[in-house]
Amino acid sequence: MNIFRLTGDLSHLAAIIILLLKIWKTRSCAGISGKSQVLFALVFTTRYLDLLTSFISLYNTTMKIIYIGCAYATVYLIYMKFKATYDGNHDTFRVEFLVVPVGGLAFLVNHDFSPLEILWTFSIYLESVAILPQLFMISKTGEAETITTHYLFFLGLYRALYLINWIWRFYFEGFFDMIAIVAGVVQTILYCDFFYLYVTKGESGSNKINPAKVRFCHK
């Protein structure tokens, strides 16, 4: 494992922990898209079905279990424990517009036409757009709490580091996965404007980002 994949995994884990701590400490899930979290839970469930069929390493298995467990814990906190604080009026993105096309694409473009491979491909495609309900919700409310922007930043950083990981693996291991790379590029692009606003927000000392300026949220 190279340093870019390791730091990418740690950035992903940091994003998940930041979100969970935010919800638990504030006893509120205000500003968080439950729909995005359901999509991420679906991503991890369909991607890590190989937990039942193969063992790669203790690290690999542990991280998969943590991702799945944290995803469902987040969904539970939003829709069950702190349901009263969930802002469903602003979390209105039509997720079927993501799931249905992604499911169709996974059937048509995959490495191998087998159930596990199609579900893995589905998870890769879905992850690239799963954050859209959250970005859409931010654009509707007009503001994002600092803790939420940190969560989004680390998610974006995770994808950017994985892009570097794939470049590294191509040059030093000869590994090349077009499906994962294209999906990763799409996901990273979705964060580009957010990264710019995150950095400029930090430089200006502002406590909140005004996502009305995030252009891709309105396209």
Side-chain angles (χ1 to χ4, degrees):
M1 179 189 302
N2 62 66
I3 188 64
F4 301 110
R5 179 180 173 182
L6 177 60
T7 52
D9 287 344
L10 294 178
S11 295
H12 195 184
L13 185 59
I16 294 171
I17 292 174
I18 285 171
L19 188 65
L20 280 171
L21 288 177
K22 186 267 183 189
I23 297 173
W24 189 257
K25 286 187 175 182
T26 63
R27 318 297 287 182
S28 170
C29 54
I32 299 172
S33 169
K35 291 185 177 181
S36 270
Q37 298 310 311
V38 169
L39 292 180
F40 281 124
L42 182 59
V43 165
F44 296 137
T45 302
T46 54
R47 181 175 302 172
Y48 299 144
L49 289 173
D50 62 347
L51 280 170
L52 305 175
T53 61
S54 61
F55 177 81
I56 298 175
S57 68
L58 179 60
Y59 171 83
N60 184 275
T61 298
T62 301
M63 293 300 284
K64 289 177 179 179
I65 293 173
I66 289 174
Y67 288 149
I68 293 173
C70 288
Y72 280 98
T74 304
V75 170
Y76 167 76
L77 292 179
I78 293 173
Y79 287 103
M80 299 293 290
K81 190 170 183 63
F82 302 121
K83 182 179 179 180
T85 66
Y86 169 56
D87 187 7
N89 291 329
H90 288 113
D91 193 15
T92 57
F93 192 95
R94 300 284 296 275
V95 294
E96 61 269 27
F97 292 159
L98 300 178
V99 175
V100 174
V102 161
L105 185 60
F107 270 95
L108 295 173
V109 183
N110 52 66
H111 294 307
D112 179 48
F113 198 77
S114 64
L116 282 180
E117 188 64 30
I118 291 172
L119 288 172
W120 178 86
T121 306
F122 170 80
S123 77
I124 295 296
Y125 293 151
L126 184 60
E127 186 183 17
S128 68
V129 294
I131 199 62
L132 283 176
Q134 179 67 67
L135 298 175
F136 182 75
M137 185 178 183
I138 291 175
S139 72
K140 289 190 69 176
T141 59
E143 285 188 333
E145 293 182 13
T146 299
I147 195 70
T148 307
T149 65
H150 292 341
Y151 161 72
L152 292 173
F153 173 79
F154 278 103
L155 272 186
L157 181 61
Y158 142 66
R159 294 315 306 177
L161 287 168
Y162 254 66
L163 288 180
I164 302 174
N165 161 63
W166 289 322
I167 294 172
W168 175 279
R169 294 190 65 184
F170 174 74
Y171 279 103
F172 293 96
E173 301 174 17
F175 174 83
F176 185 78
D177 188 331
M178 180 60 74
I179 288 176
I181 291 173
V182 171
V185 168
V186 170
Q187 188 173 0
T188 305
I189 289 173
L190 291 177
Y191 288 92
C192 284
D193 280 357
F194 176 82
F195 276 144
Y196 172 76
L197 291 175
Y198 183 92
V199 172
T200 56
K201 174 197 74 90
E203 290 176 350
S204 65
S206 173
N207 290 324
K208 294 186 177 181
I209 288 176
N210 180 359
K213 298 179 180 178
V214 181
R215 295 185 296 277
F216 57 75
C217 288
H218 302 288
K219 289 184 179 178

